[in-house]
Amino acid sequence: DRVCLVLGADAEKVRGCLDILPSHGNFMTVENRHWAEGIGRSIAEGVAAVSQWAEAAMIVLADMPHVDHVLMDEVIGAYKRSNARLCFPEAGGRRGHPVILRKEFFPQLENLAGDEGARKICEGNLEWARVVRLPDETSQLDVDTAEDLVKAEL
C-alpha cells in the first residue's frame, strides 16, 4: 500500500523531519499551500494526488496521536473483509478516525473545502458503511491545544 502525507503549516520543517525515515518507494508527500483554508482542502489535495491509482483512501489525521497502526490495521481488515464503500471506527456513539472511502467518493472528496472533512459524505452513505466498534474513546482524542496534549499524556 502507498502512503501520501499532506503537508500544511511548517511543511519544510516537517519534510526535514521525514529525512530520518528509511527510504520507502511507496511514500509521497503533497504540499497543501492553502492549509489555512481548513482540513477539507488538505483532504482534497491528498485525494487528488492519489486518484489516478488508488482504489480507496484512508484519511488519518495528524492531530490524533492515539490512532496507531493497530487501529489502522483493524479498520483496513474490516474494510477488506466487507463489501463496504466506506469504513470507520465508532466510539461512544460517535464516528471517528481513521476513515476509508472507496474511489467512487473521490470526486466529492476532491471538492471539499473549509473545516468540513468527510463527515457529510459518511453521514450520507451509512447504509454502505462498515463500522468498527471501539471499546472506548481513547484513540479518538484530538489534540488541538496544550491542554489536549496533557490529556493525551504524550
Side-chain angles (χ1 to χ4, degrees):
D1 295 329
R2 296 180 184 173
V3 175
C4 175
L5 176 64
V6 179
L7 304 175
D10 298 318
E12 287 307 313
K13 287 181 185 176
V14 174
R15 193 175 281 111
C17 293
L18 297 175
D19 290 343
I20 65 169
L21 297 174
S23 179
H24 190 289
N26 290 330
F27 181 82
M28 64 185 285
T29 60
V30 173
E31 187 170 345
N32 175 12
R33 297 184 193 281
H34 306 283
W35 57 269
E37 292 178 18
I39 189 173
R41 185 66 182 260
S42 291
I43 293 170
E45 294 282 342
V47 170
V50 303
S51 65
Q52 295 300 310
W53 47 264
E55 293 300 317
M58 174 184 267
I59 300 170
V60 183
L61 305 181
D63 63 355
M64 297 182 76
H66 295 300
V67 171
D68 60 11
H69 70 92
V70 175
L71 178 55
M72 287 187 259
D73 286 347
E74 187 174 353
V75 172
I76 291 168
Y79 173 77
K80 287 182 174 181
R81 289 187 302 272
S82 72
N83 193 29
R85 296 179 185 174
L86 61 157
C87 186
F88 49 82
E90 184 177 271
R94 297 180 57 191
R95 285 182 290 284
H97 287 275
V99 178
I100 299 176
L101 297 111
R102 264 190 351 202
K103 187 177 186 92
E104 65 197 67
F105 295 109
F106 286 8
Q108 290 171 271
L109 293 167
E110 289 180 49
N111 285 311
L112 290 175
D115 286 330
E116 187 72 34
R119 181 183 321 256
K120 288 183 181 177
I121 297 169
C122 292
E123 288 173 354
N125 292 281
L126 292 176
E127 69 274 18
W128 303 108
R130 169 67 168 89
V131 179
V132 176
R133 308 268 184 233
L134 301 178
D136 61 56
E137 298 178 46
T138 304
S139 67
Q140 300 303 299
L141 178 64
D142 186 356
V143 177
D144 292 324
T145 66
E147 185 178 284
D148 293 339
L149 192 57
V150 170
K151 283 183 202 173
E153 299 179 358
L154 297 176

